């Protein structure tokens, strides 16, 4: 027998979160959908989802997608949330009409805006708890802004918590325009009442859209309660309709990230000049100098020193690593105690071993440099496996590409590669072997041997002297 439905007021409500993400973002003048524009190093929508799934499980979160729906879906599918398709974008109210089937079975629907990425899990929780305890038909998250331009204004009944209407800026009267309490675009609804009255929305407004904001007046007209809950930290609800707003949000997010890292024991000199993405992790006592970018999912250990002008993307860096000025690291792994730079470029698949050194103007790609090995100057090391305690001399080049395919270079432990050598892959330099400077190595070099791959030096004694003498003879003036 099916269980009787629990209708007691103390039952925990079934809560869904709907994130509106179907709009085109006309004001950005972009070929990319608005919610995929990035702030803090990841799409607007990804930030909103991250906050939502800290509050409720992903299976109860629904993104309403429409413009470029497939791209948007693909970008955030890994989060495990659901998607509802709003084929035609006929307004924020219409977005919920198309989600009726998905959301109708919940008790409470929290609506978030996919273009307001500073929202925190804490505020969503407050909104949920406020709505659950006071139980109006609609709770509107509001904020007092110094400059409310562009936002819908909240009309309260006197000074009470009750709201009579939200007026979109285009429809405000001059006195209403002065109201600084704005609609954040975040709401909590009693799902039953939302869907009972949603069809009363009309699109007789300047944009010809169904505005979700009109639900305030509709529910009010039906004698249902509509309340405002003011957010304590107003910038949290900022939306990004324009590039200028987006850049402002990006800056706020990155400064907040720096403050979080400072609190966790990381020194960041001059944080205003650093670009650190939201998902970056850095250990205590690491020092970040000015003008450093740390992007993507980079993880940096403790006691590291990252010097100015380095750009580090999606890399893993151990403890006590020194990155000297102006290095570029992309999908690289640097182990404890290593030293990189200045001016090194570590491309994807670079793995730099413990206490290894990669110096100036050295480029690595798909290369493992073993523990304590050194490549200190002017080298290209691609598709190579380099053992421990190897010395790679200045100007060494692995010739890994034959015009069609890539080939491996293997350098075993303890080998010494003389300066200006070219190692034509596939090739292997054995353990503790020597390669003479300026060699072109095309054949494997056995362990403990010396390979010399260059033309033999010829010395012509007194050649220069003789040359000078013959020149002097020619230069003598002819007396006549
Ligand atoms: C909306 C509110 C406004 C509020 C502001 C807060 C309305 C009518 N106005 O204005 O009161 O102050 O947010 O930031 O709601 N979307 C869809 N489907 C649509 C239309 C929009 O999913 O058919 C999505 C957009 O992608 C966006 C969100 O809904 O993520 C909000 O839409 P947007 O056009 O940005 O509304 P605002 O003009 O900012
Ligand atoms: Ca907006």
């Amino acid at each position: 027998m099916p269980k009787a439905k629990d209708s007691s007021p103390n039952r925990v409500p079934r809560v869904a979160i709907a994130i509106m993400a179907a709009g085109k973002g006309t004001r950005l003048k972009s070929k990319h959908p608005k919610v995929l524009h990035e702030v803090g190093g990841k799409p607007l929508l990804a930030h909103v989802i991250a906050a939502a799934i800290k509050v409720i499980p992903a299976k109860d979160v629904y993104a309403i997608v429409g413009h470029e729906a497939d791209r948007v879906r693909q970008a955030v599918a890994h989060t495990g949330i659901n998607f509802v398709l709003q084929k035609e974008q006929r307004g924020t109210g219409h977005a919920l009409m198309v989600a009726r089937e998905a959301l109708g079975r919940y008790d409470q629907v929290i609506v978030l805006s996919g273009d307001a990425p500073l929202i925190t899990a804490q505020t969503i929780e407050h909104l949920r708890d406020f709505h659950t305890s006071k139980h109006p038909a609609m709770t509107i998250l509001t904020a007092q802004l110094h400059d409310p331009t562009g936002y819908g204004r909240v009309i309260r009944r006197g000074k009470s918590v009750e709201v009579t209407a939200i007026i979109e800026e285009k429809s405000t009267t001059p006195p209403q325009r002065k109201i600084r309490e704005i609609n954040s675009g975040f709401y909590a609804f009693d799902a039953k009442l939302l869907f009972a009255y949603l069809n009363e929305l009309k699109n007789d407004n300047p944009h010809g859209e169904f505005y979700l904001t009109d639900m305030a007046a509709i529910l009010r007209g039906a004698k249902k309660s509509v309340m405002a809950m003011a957010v304590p930290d107003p910038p949290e609800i900022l939306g990004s309709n324009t590039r200028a707003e987006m850049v402002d949000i990006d800056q706020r997010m990155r400064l907040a990230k720096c403050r979080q890292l400072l609190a966790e024991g990381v020194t960041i000199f001059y944080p205003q000049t650093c670009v650190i993405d939201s998902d970056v992790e850095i250990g205590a006592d690491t020092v970040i100098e000015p003008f450093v970018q740390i992007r993507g999912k980079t993880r940096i250990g403790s006691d590291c020193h990252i010097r100015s002008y380095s750009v580090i993307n999606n890399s893993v860096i151990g403890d006590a690593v020194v990155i000297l000025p102006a290095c570029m690291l992309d999908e690289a792994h640097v182990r404890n105690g290593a030293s990189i730079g200045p001016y090194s470029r570590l491309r994807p698949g670079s793995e730099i071993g413990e206490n290894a050194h990669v110096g100036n103007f050295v480029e690595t790609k798909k290369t493992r440099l073993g523990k304590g090995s050194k490549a200190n100057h002017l080298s290209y090391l691609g598709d190579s496996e380099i053992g421990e305690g190897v010395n790679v001399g200045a100007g060494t080049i692995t010739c890994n590409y034959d015009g069609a395919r890539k080939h491996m270079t293997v350098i075993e432990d303890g080998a010494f590669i003389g300066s200006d050598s070219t190692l034509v892959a596939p090739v292997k330099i054995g353990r503790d072997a020597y390669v003479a400077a300026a060699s072109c190595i095309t054949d494997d070099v056995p362990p403990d041997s010396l390979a010399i791959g260059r033309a033999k030096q010829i010395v012509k004694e007194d050649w220069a002297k003789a040359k000078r003498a013959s020149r002097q003879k020619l230069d003598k003036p002819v007396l006549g």
Side-chain angles (χ1 to χ4, degrees):
M1 213 173 92
K3 261 198 203 155
K5 220 171 145 189
D6 181 358
S7 57
S8 70
N10 293 331
R11 181 173 62 84
V12 178
R14 289 165 303 184
V15 179
I17 292 181
I19 305 174
M20 297 214 263
K24 181 167 180 234
T26 312
R27 289 162 277 187
L28 292 178
K29 302 188 173 61
S30 172
K31 54 185 170 302
H32 309 294
K34 166 152 78 174
V35 293
L36 291 191
H37 279 258
E38 292 190 353
V39 293
K42 65 181 186 190
L44 292 169
L45 180 57
H47 289 283
V48 182
I49 293 174
I53 62 182
K54 276 188 201 149
V55 179
I56 61 171
K59 68 171 178 46
D60 296 317
V61 176
Y62 298 80
I64 301 169
V65 295
H67 180 71
E68 295 250 32
D70 287 340
R71 267 184 76 189
V72 175
R73 203 176 282 170
Q74 239 170 32
V76 295
H78 63 276
T79 59
I81 64 158
N82 308 284
F83 298 93
V84 173
L85 183 65
Q86 185 195 16
K87 255 199 211 132
E88 269 183 286
Q89 293 84 56
R90 298 169 63 197
T92 45
H94 179 252
L96 282 194
M97 290 177 192
V98 303
R100 177 190 292 268
E101 206 178 311
L103 303 174
R105 60 199 173 84
Y106 290 90
D107 300 310
Q108 189 185 128
V109 174
I110 295 174
V111 176
L112 307 180
S113 191
D115 69 349
L118 295 170
I119 191 71
T120 60
Q122 227 178 7
T123 298
I124 302 171
E125 273 165 11
H126 282 163
L127 178 62
R128 178 195 62 193
D129 297 344
F130 179 99
H131 188 84
T132 307
S133 66
K134 304 225 185 295
H135 205 66
M138 177 182 189
T139 302
I140 304 157
L141 187 70
T142 71
Q144 294 278 350
L145 294 187
H146 284 296
D147 177 11
T149 312
Y151 290 91
R153 309 297 203 279
V154 174
I155 316 291
R156 293 214 190 206
R157 208 172 56 183
K159 284 197 159 54
S160 80
V161 71
E162 292 281 340
V163 172
T164 50
I166 300 169
I167 315 283
E168 285 309 292
E169 183 165 79
K170 281 220 164 101
S171 311
T172 47
T173 60
Q176 284 172 339
R177 214 161 301 151
K178 292 212 178 85
I179 296 174
R180 284 180 33 220
E181 184 172 26
I182 60 95
N183 165 32
S184 68
F186 298 166
Y187 323 87
F189 285 99
D190 175 299
K192 256 202 213 82
L193 292 172
L194 167 68
F195 291 113
Y197 289 92
L198 193 58
N199 281 347
E200 295 194 9
L201 286 178
K202 299 207 169 52
N203 61 352
D204 52 355
N205 51 52
H207 281 119
E209 290 187 351
F210 295 98
Y211 290 164
L212 187 57
T213 46
D214 289 344
M215 284 308 291
I218 289 173
L219 290 165
R220 194 80 231 161
K223 306 258 176 314
K224 307 293 177 203
S225 161
V226 176
M227 292 184 179
M229 187 196 110
V231 68
D233 180 30
E236 221 185 275
I237 57 81
L238 291 176
S240 40
N241 296 321
T242 63
R243 302 257 177 184
E245 287 171 345
M246 216 168 265
V247 168
D248 174 50
I249 287 177
D250 181 76
Q251 246 165 33
R252 287 169 187 276
M253 203 173 261
R254 293 187 190 284
L255 272 181
K257 178 73 189 182
C258 284
R259 275 196 287 271
Q260 172 214 324
L261 292 168
L262 291 166
E264 288 169 5
V266 179
T267 295
I268 306 171
F269 291 115
Y270 221 150
Q272 295 86 338
T273 66
C274 293
V275 174
I276 302 180
D277 285 355
S278 322
D279 291 343
V280 166
E281 292 171 31
I282 306 178
D285 287 322
T286 283
V287 175
I288 314 284
E289 290 192 358
F291 298 101
V292 163
Q293 294 196 28
I294 308 175
R295 315 294 306 264
K297 296 202 181 303
T298 296
R299 274 188 288 133
I300 299 178
S302 307
D303 302 308
C304 294
H305 196 143
I306 315 292
R307 304 213 40 202
S308 294
Y309 311 113
S310 290
V311 179
I312 303 171
N313 184 45
N314 284 329
S315 295
V316 179
I317 294 173
D319 297 331
V321 169
V322 177
I323 311 267
L324 293 160
C327 292
M328 291 170 67
L329 280 71
D330 189 18
E331 291 174 34
H333 191 158
V334 181
R335 294 190 196 279
N336 298 351
S339 164
I340 312 292
Y343 304 103
S344 308
R345 181 174 180 209
L346 273 48
R347 291 168 53 201
S350 296
E351 230 189 285
I352 311 304
E354 238 179 89
N355 299 323
H357 287 199
V358 176
N360 37 216
F361 306 107
V362 173
E363 174 182 346
T364 61
K365 185 219 70 174
K366 279 197 188 153
T367 281
R368 182 136 49 138
L369 187 66
K371 196 170 165 179
S373 290
K374 291 178 183 164
N376 270 331
H377 331 265
L378 301 151
S379 283
Y380 172 61
L381 304 171
D383 300 293
S384 39
E385 184 79 48
I386 302 170
E388 298 183 2
V390 169
N391 187 79
V392 178
T396 297
I397 306 287
T398 54
C399 308
N400 60 328
Y401 186 47
D402 63 10
R405 285 185 304 145
K406 304 282 170 68
H407 302 279
M408 282 293 291
T409 299
V410 177
I411 305 175
E412 292 184 340
D413 295 352
F416 180 97
I417 313 297
S419 294
D420 196 26
S421 294
T422 48
L423 309 175
V424 182
V427 75
K428 182 172 172 179
I429 314 296
R431 207 185 169 92
D432 294 321
Y434 269 68
V435 169
S439 289
C440 175
I441 300 296
T442 52
D443 298 321
D444 288 354
V445 178
D448 290 315
S449 51
L450 166 68
I452 308 171
R454 63 185 182 217
K456 200 167 162 55
Q457 182 172 325
I458 300 168
V459 176
K460 297 186 176 179
E461 277 183 28
D462 291 333
W463 180 90
K465 209 166 153 190
K467 179 86 180 166
R468 268 196 306 275
S470 72
R471 229 191 243 132
Q472 260 167 13
K473 226 185 256 170
L474 279 175
D475 290 350
K476 267 207 179 123
V478 182
L479 302 171

